[in-house]
Every structure is written in C-alpha cells, then in structure tokens.
Amino acid sequence: MENNQPYYKSEKKLVAGILGILLGVFAIHKFYLGYKKEGVIQLIISLVTCGTFGSLTGLVEGIIYLTKTDEDFDKTYVEGRKGWF
C-alpha cells in the first residue's frame, strides 16, 4: 500500500502550542522548537517586564501554532525557522 500523504514534522505543533499558552512567560515553546536565541531574548524581556511581554507573546504564539495547518506550521516554523509570530 502506498501512502500519498506528505510527511510533516509537525508533531511538535500541539506541544509547542500548549507550552506557549501555559508557560509562555518562560519561553519554553521557543526552546522546544530549537529557537535558543529567541528564547533567551523573550526570557530576558519577560524578566524586565515582570512577565507581561512573555505571557502575551506566548499566548499569541501558542494560539497561532495551534490554528495553523500541519503543512503551514512545518513550512513556517520547522523548515522556515521563523522565530517570531
């Protein structure tokens, strides 16, 4: 049997989305996706803004991750390595 479905690496999509929503202030979703530089930047800005920036950014990014199709998520965040939104 031949599977005509394209292979996507978006198994990280659900976990990254949930991490962004729940732990966005710590930038865990950035580190999970391999964005070390962006994760450190978000973590530092979160510390400076008492968590406000990180919480909002994590919430928005988590929602964006979860609402993208598997194909779009892979093209944007896995292959394209887009670090922000």
Side-chain angles (χ1 to χ4, degrees):
M1 291 190 129
E2 197 173 311
N3 187 357
N4 292 334
Q5 294 282 336
Y7 174 73
Y8 296 118
K9 302 172 207 109
S10 61
E11 64 270 358
K12 293 186 172 190
K13 181 177 100 167
L14 180 62
V15 176
I18 292 171
L19 287 173
I21 292 170
L22 298 178
L23 299 171
V25 69
F26 302 113
I28 302 297
H29 61 294
K30 297 282 190 192
F31 294 112
Y32 181 74
L33 290 173
Y35 299 123
K36 293 176 186 169
K37 181 177 73 172
E38 291 87 347
V40 170
I41 291 169
Q42 183 173 338
L43 190 56
I44 291 170
I45 293 174
S46 288
L47 291 171
V48 170
T49 63
C50 297
T52 305
F53 176 80
S55 295
L56 291 176
T57 304
L59 178 66
V60 170
E61 287 184 330
I63 292 170
I64 290 171
Y65 293 166
L66 294 174
T67 57
K68 284 194 173 287
T69 65
D70 289 349
E71 183 179 7
D72 285 343
F73 180 85
D74 281 345
K75 285 181 182 175
T76 306
Y77 300 106
V78 177
E79 294 169 11
R81 305 285 302 158
K82 182 179 179 187
W84 299 100
F85 294 92

